[in-house]
Every structure is written in C-alpha cells, then in structure tokens.
Amino acid sequence: MSLILCVMAACNHYLSTLYQVGLPTGQSTLHYVLQCLLFTTWLSCRSGDRGIICVLRYRGWRYLLLALVDVETNYLYITAHQFTTLTSIQLLDCVSITAALALSCLLLRVRYKIVHIVGVSICLMGVGCLVWADIDDGRTLTGGKNQLLGDMLCLGGAVLFAVVSVAQELVVKTLDWVEYLGIMGLLGSILSIIQTAVLERDTVFLMPWGNWQVVALLLGFGLAQFLFCILAPAMLRDSGATALQLSLLTADFYWLMFGIFLLQYKFHTLYILSFALTAAGIMIYALKRTPILSQSQQPATYR
C-alpha cells in the first residue's frame, strides 16, 4: 500500500509540476466510479438485509457523511502538494497517527499497551530522521506557493484521513467490506462529480486532453487509488487504523528512493536509518494485538 501511495504521489507530482494540471477532486473521481461499477453492482445483486436498498435505508445517511469526509480528504491532500513542501507534509502527516490513536480509543474502545506506545514512538523517530535528512540536503520546511495554506490543508487532510480509517475499520470488523466499498463508491462518485462540476469545471475544459502523457498520469493515479482502496479493508480487518497509519509512513522512504533516480535527489544515509526505525516500530507495534471490548459488547457498541 505504501508503494501504491508512492505511485499516486509521483503521478500527482508530474501532473502539477510538468503539466500544471490542478484537479484535486477530478483526479479522485475515477477510483470512485470504478468502485461503483464493481462493488455497487456486487451489492445490488444481494437481497434481504444485506441488499443495497436496506443498507441505504438504515445506514445511508451515515455513509453519506463518511463519503463527504472521504472526498474532502482527497481534495485537501492533493491541493496541499501544490502549496507546501514535501518535508512539511511528511511532518504534518504524523498528525493522522495521533488522531487515529485518539479516535480508536474513543470510538472503538481500543486499549493500547506499553508495547504499542513504544512502537509508535520509534516510528516517529524514523520520520524525524527523514525530515533531518531533507533539511540537511536543502529541502527545508519553508517554501512553496503559500506555506501556511498548504500546511493547514495538510493538517485537515491528515485528521480527516484518520476519521475515514477508523470508520472503515469499524465497518469492516462489524458489518461488511463489500457493503462499505459499494456504498462509498456510489455516494463518492455522486459527490465528487458534483464537486468537480462546481469547482473545477473550467479546469476540465482547459485540460490538454490531446496530450497522452496527461491522460496516462490521470489514469495511473485513478487506478492506483482504486487498488489502494481495495487493499485498505483487508489491512484494517487484520490490524487496525493506527497500524495502517504507521505502515504508510514507509511511503516517504519509497518516494525519496524514487526521487534519487528520477528527480536527482542526493542519497543520505539517514534514509536507511529512517526506514529501519519505521519498520522496527511497526513490528514492535504488531507484537501484541490491540485489545478491544469483548465480543459480546462489540456489535451493539459499534452499531
């Protein structure tokens, strides 16, 4: 999933820097449409309480709120890359870990042990090494078109991503991952198309659609995001939202390796130390499963 996130970052980087394409909502529309075609169709073939009509009747408004948060999360993250620096984004992304920890405690009644706190701390040390290496190489915390705006967008996106991750963990552990992907694909498609039509209509008309590189990058971004969304429920079902946030920290390392080969970044020994610390922190965190409420208490509380 970290490698897929790196592919998404690369596509977004080339779209914004080489071709000056700014479609924060439009870029994400494709993956919602693909989800709708596959999983909403799958859900429509079900009958009874697990069918799409019953799901929309009993839980539709909750999914609508979650789909809105998901659409805005993508919008904020993609827009943030246009205004602030990668180093700043790497630091601010850590907010999603704190938010996931807090939300898991409050909503899912997760009880963390010392080993989990130690694992999170080591992962954050790895991020610190990565930022240190960036500053040492001249990629400072300041810069970008509008540093303050970009940082605020990244902070908002990090918190909303944690909200979506915890809510998705709740659904896949107590209800059904096909239901989640199907309803989110349907509602996400509607919301993202509406937002694109309202906010990015002129940009869509002025897009260089005759340029195959631009079209390929948009398709690559959408397909990578679609694959990411399919893999996320499996990760959340077997581990949890906090473990997902920690694991995705390795995407920064993969992006820097990408930058060394294609963007002429300088190699720094701290990159290896950062990856080692992050991987070690994830493994320490995974030594013990995060305890939650007893099985008899879970369904009523979660619902």
Side-chain angles (χ1 to χ4, degrees), residues 206-228:
L206 296 174
M207 280 274 293
W209 294 108
N211 190 330
W212 69 268
Q213 290 96 334
V214 172
V215 176
L217 287 170
L218 288 172
L219 289 174
F221 182 90
L223 292 173
Q225 196 171 22
F226 174 63
L227 186 58
F228 183 91

Side-chain angles (χ1 to χ4, degrees), residues 1-301:
M1 289 179 69
S2 289
L3 286 170
I4 294 171
L5 205 60
C6 182
V7 171
M8 291 166 57
C11 292
N12 188 50
H13 172 79
Y14 282 121
L15 284 170
S16 60
T17 57
L18 291 183
Y19 302 104
Q20 286 74 49
V21 173
L23 279 176
T25 309
Q27 284 177 225
S28 301
T29 302
L30 177 60
H31 98 271
Y32 287 119
V33 173
L34 291 175
Q35 269 186 232
C36 183
L37 291 175
L38 179 59
F39 293 102
T40 307
T41 304
W42 186 348
L43 192 62
S44 300
C45 295
R46 292 179 173 180
S47 58
D49 292 340
R50 301 178 67 197
I52 188 170
I53 301 300
C54 285
V55 171
L56 288 173
R57 181 184 302 165
Y58 294 114
R59 296 184 287 275
W61 68 270
R62 296 181 180 88
Y63 278 118
L64 179 62
L65 291 177
L66 188 56
L68 180 62
V69 173
D70 193 47
V71 169
E72 300 313 320
T73 300
N74 295 324
Y75 177 84
L76 292 176
Y77 261 132
I78 295 174
T79 306
H81 281 81
Q82 301 175 16
F83 292 99
T84 190
T85 62
L86 176 63
T87 307
S88 184
I89 290 174
Q90 288 168 347
L91 267 178
L92 296 172
D93 269 349
C94 297
V95 174
S96 64
I97 298 173
T98 307
L101 283 167
L103 290 170
S104 295
C105 285
L106 293 173
L107 301 181
L108 305 185
R109 303 295 192 272
V110 172
R111 295 295 175 260
Y112 294 102
K113 297 183 180 297
I114 295 298
V115 66
H116 301 126
I117 304 303
V118 171
V120 171
S121 302
I122 293 175
C123 285
L124 294 180
M125 289 170 60
V127 176
C129 289
L130 203 62
V131 173
W132 184 5
D134 282 352
I135 295 174
D136 196 39
D137 285 342
R139 294 189 292 277
T140 60
L141 289 170
T142 59
K145 297 179 184 178
N146 190 327
Q147 180 76 26
L148 179 60
L149 175 61
D151 289 350
M152 291 301 102
L153 291 172
C154 187
L155 275 174
V159 173
L160 293 182
F161 182 51
V163 172
V164 172
S165 298
V166 172
Q168 189 174 2
E169 180 185 355
L170 185 152
V171 174
V172 299
K173 286 185 175 180
T174 60
L175 294 171
D176 185 5
W177 65 274
V178 175
E179 174 186 314
Y180 176 85
L181 291 175
I183 300 299
M184 291 294 286
L186 174 63
L187 299 178
S189 298
I190 296 171
L191 292 174
S192 60
I193 289 172
I194 292 174
Q195 184 163 313
T196 301
V198 173
L199 299 180
E200 301 166 12
R201 180 177 61 255
D202 295 337
T203 307
V204 171
F205 288 141
L206 296 174
M207 280 274 293
W209 294 108
N211 190 330
W212 69 268
Q213 290 96 334
V214 172
V215 176
L217 287 170
L218 288 172
L219 289 174
F221 182 90
L223 292 173
Q225 196 171 22
F226 174 63
L227 186 58
F228 183 91
C229 291
I230 291 178
L231 293 176
M235 173 76 179
L236 291 168
R237 183 189 60 220
D238 295 332
S239 55
T242 305
L244 173 65
Q245 303 289 343
L246 293 174
S247 299
L248 292 181
L249 290 176
T250 54
D252 294 333
F253 173 82
Y254 295 133
W255 169 254
L256 288 170
M257 293 298 101
F258 169 84
I260 289 172
F261 290 105
L262 297 180
L263 302 177
Q264 287 74 53
Y265 286 0
K266 294 180 181 178
F267 180 79
H268 203 294
T269 52
L270 284 176
Y271 292 165
I272 302 299
L273 178 60
S274 169
F275 184 81
L277 284 172
T278 304
I282 294 167
M283 287 188 285
I284 291 172
Y285 181 91
L287 286 176
K288 286 192 176 182
R289 296 182 66 86
T290 47
I292 57 178
L293 292 176
S294 64
Q295 291 294 328
S296 61
Q297 293 175 299
Q298 282 179 28
T301 303

